[in-house]
Amino acid sequence: PTFGMDNDDDTSSAPKRKKLTQAHQLVGATWDVEARHYFQQDSSSVTATSHSAKHNLLVVGFSTGLFGLYELPSVSNVHTLSISNQYIRTVSINNTGEWLAFGCP
């Protein structure tokens, strides 16, 4: 997606604004912390995450091989499961929100 007021009609005399990608908008933005949520996973750290804005889901992979599925914006734990004895390197949610994919070394 692009941001900005673009006018594709070449006959207009109004000045055109440069198209900015979402990444460019985020770099120049001001960020604030609204709330903090803790996963309460002793002796482990977050190693991978995936977010589905369409389904309000957050999947978090931990260094202990555990993953958690959370509902947003409340960060309610839907499910937690250990799938490996090694850390989870990658996490992905498919476009329907029905499947999760994990990558472990």
Side-chain angles (χ1 to χ4, degrees):
T2 58
F3 297 88
M5 300 287 292
D6 292 319
N7 186 354
D8 292 330
D9 184 4
D10 289 333
T11 61
S12 172
S13 62
K16 290 185 180 182
R17 290 181 59 189
K18 182 179 177 182
K19 287 186 178 184
L20 297 176
T21 65
Q22 184 178 13
H24 285 102
Q25 291 285 357
L26 294 175
V27 169
T30 302
W31 295 85
D32 293 315
V33 176
E34 290 185 16
R36 292 182 187 262
H37 298 276
Y38 297 93
F39 294 114
Q40 304 300 329
Q41 299 298 326
D42 296 332
S43 69
S44 69
S45 58
V46 174
T47 56
T49 62
S50 183
H51 173 249
S52 172
K54 179 179 177 182
H55 298 97
N56 294 324
L57 294 175
L58 174 67
V59 180
V60 180
F62 295 96
S63 59
T64 56
L66 187 80
F67 83 90
L69 177 62
Y70 300 90
E71 183 180 21
L72 298 176
S74 63
V75 194
S76 300
N77 187 317
V78 175
H79 192 74
T80 304
L81 184 67
S82 179
I83 59 169
S84 176
N85 59 0
Q86 296 183 0
Y87 70 95
I88 297 174
R89 181 176 289 184
T90 59
V91 177
S92 183
I93 306 171
N94 78 329
N95 60 354
T96 64
E98 297 173 336
W99 293 93
L100 306 175
F102 299 93
C104 302

